[in-house]
Amino acid sequence: MKQLIIYADPNPNSFCRAIADTLCETLTAAGKDVFIRDLYEMKFDSTFSLADMQIMTKNDYMADVKEEQELIQDASVITFVYPIWWLGPPAILKGYFDRVFAEDFAYSYGAEGFEKGLVGKKAAVINTMGAKTDSYEKKGMIDAMKKITDKGILEYTGMEVVEHIFFGEISTVSDEVREEYLQEVRGLGEKLATIGILKESDAW
């Protein structure tokens, strides 16, 4: 089953990139088909425009949006890797959600009312931050960010969030700590690689 990594960091040498690459390598080694969508490298248009709005009313989408939706549809697991800027994702990823997680794809309104469009898919989120993780936790910000992304976007559309990891002080920690972070990413990759695989006892 395919796995998708949505990556949003403009610096190709960032630790976020090391995270995305490590996750990709771990999943590939486990025999998974993995696709990385580097939003900055793609120059993804993050502006939800009047044209987007008008074409959606005709139950259609822009070509670039359709491409992303097809990749999401084909994936069993989607992992989002990005730095935290002003307690949220980079604007390019927010725009990705605005345009790609559109009505009649990620959600819809049918005879039974509101319907989630991405039920059955798993999601994971990995964030880097400049500040200490515990300082954000004490202020309630970690919980707030999880609620916005995990509850307000991913679970709202039917996805199950299996993990949301925050790596703090990313610009000042030692190489040893960075390696510990990457080891945690490898562990997550190994966990994600098992999704969709039936245990022998479950197959009967």
Side-chain angles (χ1 to χ4, degrees):
M1 302 178 78
K2 295 180 181 177
Q3 299 219 13
L4 188 63
I5 299 172
I6 307 298
Y7 167 71
D9 191 313
N11 182 358
N13 299 313
S14 69
F15 190 68
C16 254
R17 184 71 216 196
I19 289 171
D21 288 343
T22 298
L23 180 61
C24 183
E25 290 164 5
T26 303
L27 291 169
T28 300
K32 300 297 176 180
D33 290 330
V34 189
F35 298 85
I36 295 183
R37 303 299 282 171
D38 184 334
L39 301 187
Y40 282 96
E41 186 179 73
M42 292 161 51
K43 295 182 172 57
F44 181 79
D45 184 356
S46 60
T47 302
F48 183 81
S49 65
L50 177 59
D52 283 293
M53 189 177 295
Q54 290 172 332
I55 197 170
M56 279 174 54
T57 62
K58 301 175 183 177
N59 293 318
D60 201 358
Y61 306 97
M62 296 292 190
D64 60 339
V65 169
K66 282 184 181 179
E67 182 178 3
E68 299 309 309
Q69 291 176 340
E70 289 171 0
L71 287 168
I72 290 173
Q73 205 69 275
D74 288 344
S76 58
V77 183
I78 300 97
T79 303
F80 299 86
V81 181
Y82 59 93
I84 293 297
W85 292 347
W86 290 106
L87 300 180
I92 198 169
L93 179 56
K94 177 57 169 66
Y96 182 94
F97 286 131
D98 290 345
R99 297 187 67 220
V100 178
F101 281 46
E103 185 175 354
D104 292 327
F105 171 70
Y107 66 95
S108 61
Y109 295 94
E112 303 298 322
F114 180 80
E115 297 177 2
K116 300 180 178 184
L118 301 177
V119 174
K121 297 188 181 300
K122 310 294 186 183
V125 185
I126 307 175
N127 294 140
T128 58
M129 305 183 299
K132 292 182 178 180
T133 303
D134 61 356
S135 69
Y136 274 171
E137 286 177 334
K138 289 175 183 177
K139 297 173 183 176
M141 293 177 180
I142 294 294
D143 186 53
M145 287 188 282
K146 283 185 175 181
K147 284 182 178 178
I148 290 171
T149 304
D150 300 2
K151 302 291 185 182
I153 299 175
L154 303 177
E155 292 180 8
Y156 184 79
T157 59
M159 302 174 75
E160 178 188 347
V161 179
V162 297
E163 195 81 60
H164 192 152
I165 300 172
F166 294 87
F167 294 131
E169 296 182 282
I170 202 62
S171 60
T172 56
V173 294
S174 66
D175 289 342
E176 288 75 18
V177 172
R178 286 172 180 260
E179 181 52 38
E180 290 175 6
Y181 287 167
L182 292 180
Q183 191 57 39
E184 188 170 346
V185 172
R186 294 183 188 100
L188 174 61
E190 291 169 358
K191 176 180 177 180
L192 297 180
T194 65
I195 290 176
I197 298 176
L198 290 177
K199 296 179 182 177
E200 187 174 346
S201 58
D202 295 333
W204 296 93

